[in-house]
Amino acid sequence: METGIASCANETLLPTVSSQRSTTMASPRSITPSLSRTLKTSSLFGETLRIAPKSSFRVTKTKNSSPLTKCEIGDSLEEFLTKATPDKGLITLMLCMGEALRTIAFKVRTASCGGTACVNSFGDEQLAVDMLANKLLFEALQYSHYCKYACSEEVPELQDMGGPAKGGFSVAFDPLDGSSIVDTNFTVGTIFGVWPGDKLTGITGREQVAAAMGIFGPRTTYVLSLKDNPGTHEFLLLDEGKWLHVKDTTTIGEGKMFSPGNLRATFDNPEYAKVLYSLEFYFQLPFYFCC
């Protein structure tokens, strides 16, 4: 999967990780306090994921709806989502994915980066840290109770997560993009998109209800966009394990660099290469080849 994804709101791009330094948490914590009364611990997920009983939430249709309350910098992840969408199922799913990202951030710092002697269907070697992140994300989606189908770069076949087809969601994700460079201590991340219902084929990015990425670098951030809430929204993982809303991005200014994705395709598709190099000549911008 590409390292940058288009948001489902206003067609903006999710921002890259900030270069400012901040100490991240030393170990994963429990989910936000106000939900903890109705959630129970999953033994499969250790103490980091809580299971939401199906009866705890009622699905609310969000078509053409708008946020009831203005979201603010300084909100927690749960506070932001509650203001940004009335869909309790989507709120639960995004919170569970936040829990998985928090655990992955900890595991990336400590887990093995050795190979598993396996390759995925795309021909990439599967690393131990890849498979660990993959397992955590599938578990988070299953225990959200609102995901019907999910697939990943490591397991591209549809997996039934047990959620409802009507009022539920389907999720596609790359568990750890850039995992092959974890040992170099470069930034890596998780990318996922959320679609309504039970389809992950024959659909487009414009049909997403949410898109997000977790970025594991000097700072751990969770950057997300919701269909009915303009722009992208960045959350910083604090020392105490909470996600704090720290930045909104609604427009993209002009830059000095042009870094297109999927440059490997230029070797097999001369027409694609012609388009990219014509853009380089027209805009007089240097290419940064990062495949």
Side-chain angles (χ1 to χ4, degrees), residues 255-270:
K256 297 181 179 179
M257 295 183 295
F258 174 46
S259 182
N262 198 24
L263 286 176
R264 290 177 181 173
T266 60
F267 296 106
D268 303 316
N269 189 333

Side-chain angles (χ1 to χ4, degrees), residues 57-251:
F57 299 105
R58 179 171 56 87
V59 176
T60 305
K61 293 184 179 180
T62 60
K63 187 175 181 180
N64 297 326
S65 62
S66 58
L68 300 177
T69 310
K70 182 180 179 181
C71 302
E72 298 178 348
I73 299 298
D75 283 344
S76 68
L77 178 60
E78 184 184 351
E79 289 170 338
F80 169 84
L81 290 170
T82 301
K83 295 176 181 179
T85 175
D87 192 323
K88 303 300 183 183
L90 184 59
I91 291 173
T92 303
L93 188 146
M94 298 301 285
L95 285 173
C96 285
M97 291 299 273
E99 292 297 302
L101 294 178
R102 184 166 58 179
T103 305
I104 292 170
F106 176 71
K107 294 298 185 181
V108 162
R109 290 164 172 75
T110 58
S112 167
C113 296
T116 61
C118 299
V119 295
N120 60 25
S121 60
F122 302 103
D124 299 322
E125 182 183 11
Q126 293 176 306
L127 304 180
V129 69
D130 271 320
M131 300 310 296
L132 177 59
N134 196 65
K135 178 176 181 289
L136 291 170
L137 290 163
F138 272 122
E139 287 180 355
L141 292 170
Q142 181 180 2
Y143 286 108
S144 75
H145 295 304
Y146 282 99
C147 180
K148 176 56 180 174
Y149 289 117
C151 66
S152 74
E153 185 175 33
E154 309 306 326
V155 185
E157 300 79 18
L158 288 185
Q159 305 295 306
D160 193 336
M161 297 288 100
K166 184 177 181 180
F169 306 93
S170 293
V171 179
F173 61 89
D174 184 344
L176 200 60
D177 191 58
S179 57
S180 61
I181 60 172
V182 166
D183 278 342
T184 65
N185 210 24
F186 285 179
T187 296
V188 296
T190 295
I191 308 170
F192 68 92
V194 183
W195 284 263
D198 59 352
K199 291 181 61 179
L200 280 175
T201 57
I203 54 177
T204 68
R206 295 179 185 275
E207 297 173 64
Q208 292 178 99
V209 292
M213 60 184 179
I215 304 171
F216 315 118
R219 295 152 52 105
T220 297
T221 56
Y222 183 11
V223 186
L224 60 87
S225 179
L226 304 175
K227 182 176 182 180
D228 297 314
N229 196 287
T232 60
H233 312 277
E234 182 174 338
F235 295 81
L236 175 67
L237 185 60
L238 303 179
D239 288 342
E240 59 267 31
K242 296 180 180 179
W243 293 107
L244 181 70
H245 188 197
V246 294
K247 183 180 180 182
D248 289 327
T249 302
T250 55
T251 59

